[in-house]
């Protein structure tokens, strides 16, 4: 996967469109030192001659919830940020599948751990983005030796920058040991999520995914998959999943904005199912891509068209 950031022309920063290379911060920025920022990852999809942003409103609402947790007053309304994102995509002439990264952070001004005196700044970048994990072959995973941040230590359902040092430790460990991705257990030892993805398993035709109480991010792709599967007549349970269920399930997959729907084909050396993409995973993947690319009218309300037809 090529994860090198591809520069575009403009970045939206604090209400203005500025040149990509000018989007800079001071090294003493509070968020850079202490992780006091919140962010979103959103995808735009190329489809039938247009670009569609997937669940834009839901992502920005989650950004606002993350900010609320940290007493950050974002000086823009969801509607302002929506307009800014659509305008940014147009100014950058993006017509290919891309990633949109809104970031609100405590800026420069005060040392010390109370962030509340440092102003909240907001930046939005958008750039072309292909696959994050391999959706065609599937990925090989390990159970991380690092636990996911406990819900009484840092709220994992607020998408804060600081949460991701925990993800980075697990991701590096997995890659160094020859895996593609890590799966976190929660502080009780139950299955939690990936480093930047939610996780699902399938057993005897029933789909299961850990509940919010396992300390997961309330993923928007997770929510989409639950709805799509329900509409297909498949049974989906939000329930505690044990580590061993990962080893013996019929299918497993990750969901996320970056990961989309990525099949998991191996966990700690155990082959999942027959080692290829499972039938339910495949059906969900096909449905998901037809929806995000604007080929399914039933879910058009999840899409915001960037260009007028
Ligand atoms: N869990 C964690 C820890 C995440 O970071 C993400 C998203 C998800 C679950 C899935 O949430 P959603 O479906 O709403 O995207 N991760 C970011 C993403 O853009 C960053 C990954 C590098 O996918």
């Amino acid at each position: 996967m090529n994860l090198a950031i591809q520069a575009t022309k403009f970045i939206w920063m604090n209400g203005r469109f500025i040149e990509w290379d000018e989007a800079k911060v001071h090294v003493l920025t509070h968020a850079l030192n202490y992780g006091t920022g919140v962010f979103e990852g959103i995808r735009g999809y190329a489809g039938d001659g247009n670009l569609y942003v997937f669940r834009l409103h839901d992502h920005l609402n989650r950004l606002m919830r993350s900010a609320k947790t940290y007493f950050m007053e974002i000086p823009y309304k969801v509607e302002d940020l929506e307009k800014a994102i659509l305008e940014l995509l147009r100014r950058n002439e993006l017509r290919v599948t891309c990633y949109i990264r809104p970031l609100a952070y405590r800026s420069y001004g005060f040392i010390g751990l109370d962030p509340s005196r440092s102003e909240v700044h907001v930046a939005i970048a958008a750039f072309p983005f292909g696959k994050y994990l391999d959706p065609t072959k599937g990925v090989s995973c390990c159970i991380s030796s690092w636990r996911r941040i406990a819900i009484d230590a840092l709220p994992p359902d607020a998408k804060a920058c600081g949460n991701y040092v925990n993800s980075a430790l697990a991701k590096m460990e997995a890659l160094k040991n020859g895996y593609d991705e890590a799966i976190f257990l929660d502080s009780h030892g139950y299955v939690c999520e990936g480093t930047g993805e939610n996780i699902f398993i399938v057993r005897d035709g029933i789909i299961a995914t850990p509940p919010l109480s396992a300390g997961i991010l309330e993923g928007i792709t997770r929510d989409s998959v639950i709805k799509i599967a329900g509409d297909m007549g498949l049974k989906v349970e939000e329930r505690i999943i044990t580590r061993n269920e990962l080893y013996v399930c019929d299918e497993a997959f990750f969901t996320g904005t970056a990961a989309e729907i990525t099949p998991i084909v191996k966990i700690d050396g155990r082959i999942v199912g027959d080692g290829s993409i499972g039938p339910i995973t495949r059906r969900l993947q096909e449905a998901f891509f037809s929806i995000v690319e604007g080929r399914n009218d039933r879910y058009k309300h999840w899409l915001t068209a960037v260009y007028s037809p």
Side-chain angles (χ1 to χ4, degrees):
M1 306 299 117
N2 179 13
L3 300 181
I5 294 174
Q6 222 180 300
T8 52
K9 285 190 195 136
F10 301 105
I11 286 188
W12 184 94
M13 215 169 168
N14 301 318
R16 296 191 307 131
F17 292 93
I18 60 174
E19 297 281 326
W20 177 276
D21 288 333
E22 298 308 314
K24 294 174 184 164
V25 297
H26 196 277
V27 289
L28 288 175
T29 295
H30 202 278
L32 184 59
N33 286 258
Y34 307 126
T36 48
V38 296
F39 69 98
E40 274 304 316
I42 310 170
R43 266 191 195 261
Y45 284 95
D48 70 21
N50 211 323
L51 185 74
Y52 294 108
V53 183
F54 186 60
R55 300 193 66 172
L56 178 57
H57 202 73
D58 298 314
H59 277 283
L60 292 174
N61 277 335
R62 187 171 66 187
L63 182 75
M64 294 302 182
R65 292 200 302 276
S66 301
K68 183 175 183 186
T69 302
Y70 289 96
F71 295 105
M72 293 172 75
E73 288 205 17
I74 296 186
Y76 303 95
K77 291 198 282 291
V78 163
E79 291 68 31
D80 301 330
L81 296 176
E82 274 176 0
K83 276 200 200 114
I85 286 170
L86 297 175
E87 180 65 21
L88 180 70
L89 293 167
R90 288 184 206 117
R91 287 199 188 206
N92 283 332
E93 296 166 54
L94 280 161
R95 287 189 173 269
V96 293
T97 297
C98 57
Y99 197 63
I100 303 154
R101 167 54 56 80
L103 171 68
Y105 59 96
R106 289 289 182 179
S107 63
Y108 161 88
F110 294 89
I111 199 78
L113 285 174
D114 174 16
S116 50
R117 291 207 290 166
S118 298
E119 270 180 41
V120 175
H121 285 188
V122 184
I124 308 168
F127 45 88
F129 188 43
K131 297 302 173 192
Y132 180 66
L133 296 170
D134 189 339
T136 48
K137 278 210 327 276
V139 290
S140 165
C141 298
C142 60
I143 306 296
S144 184
S145 75
W146 299 98
R147 291 296 172 96
R148 187 60 173 150
I149 44 177
I151 55 170
D152 53 355
L154 277 177
D157 47 341
K159 200 169 168 63
C161 299
N163 294 359
Y164 287 83
V165 288
N166 175 238
S167 293
L169 277 175
K171 184 79 187 186
M172 287 188 291
E173 180 189 55
L175 295 177
K176 283 189 187 301
N177 290 334
Y179 300 97
D180 303 306
E181 184 56 289
I183 299 166
F184 278 120
L185 302 181
D186 66 16
S187 53
H188 302 286
Y190 298 116
V191 174
C192 184
E193 60 181 346
T195 61
E197 309 85 15
N198 292 114
I199 190 167
F200 287 73
I201 62 166
V202 182
R203 294 191 72 180
D204 300 325
I206 298 173
I207 302 169
T209 192
L212 192 56
S213 54
I216 59 166
L217 182 75
E218 272 183 291
I220 287 163
T221 320
R222 173 184 180 276
D223 176 73
S224 307
V225 163
I226 290 172
K227 292 200 170 103
I228 296 164
D231 290 347
M232 284 178 166
L234 296 166
K235 192 166 173 205
V236 188
E237 295 174 341
E238 292 179 65
R239 65 162 176 88
I240 284 175
I241 295 174
T242 67
R243 176 177 187 153
N244 194 48
E245 286 191 273
L246 292 179
Y247 297 154
V248 301
C249 64
D250 306 319
E251 302 180 34
F253 57 90
F254 284 128
T255 64
T257 298
E260 301 169 310
I261 297 180
T262 298
I264 302 171
V265 293
K266 214 183 208 189
I267 303 174
D268 282 348
R270 284 118 178 137
I271 307 282
V272 177
D274 65 3
S276 63
I277 305 180
I280 290 182
T281 309
R282 190 176 288 285
R283 272 179 74 192
L284 290 169
Q285 256 187 342
E286 281 166 7
F288 178 79
F289 285 110
S290 79
I291 290 166
V292 296
E293 288 164 9
R295 289 182 275 119
N296 187 334
D297 285 340
R298 183 169 180 182
Y299 301 92
K300 268 271 163 82
H301 59 284
W302 279 347
L303 304 181
T304 307
V306 176
Y307 300 99
S308 39

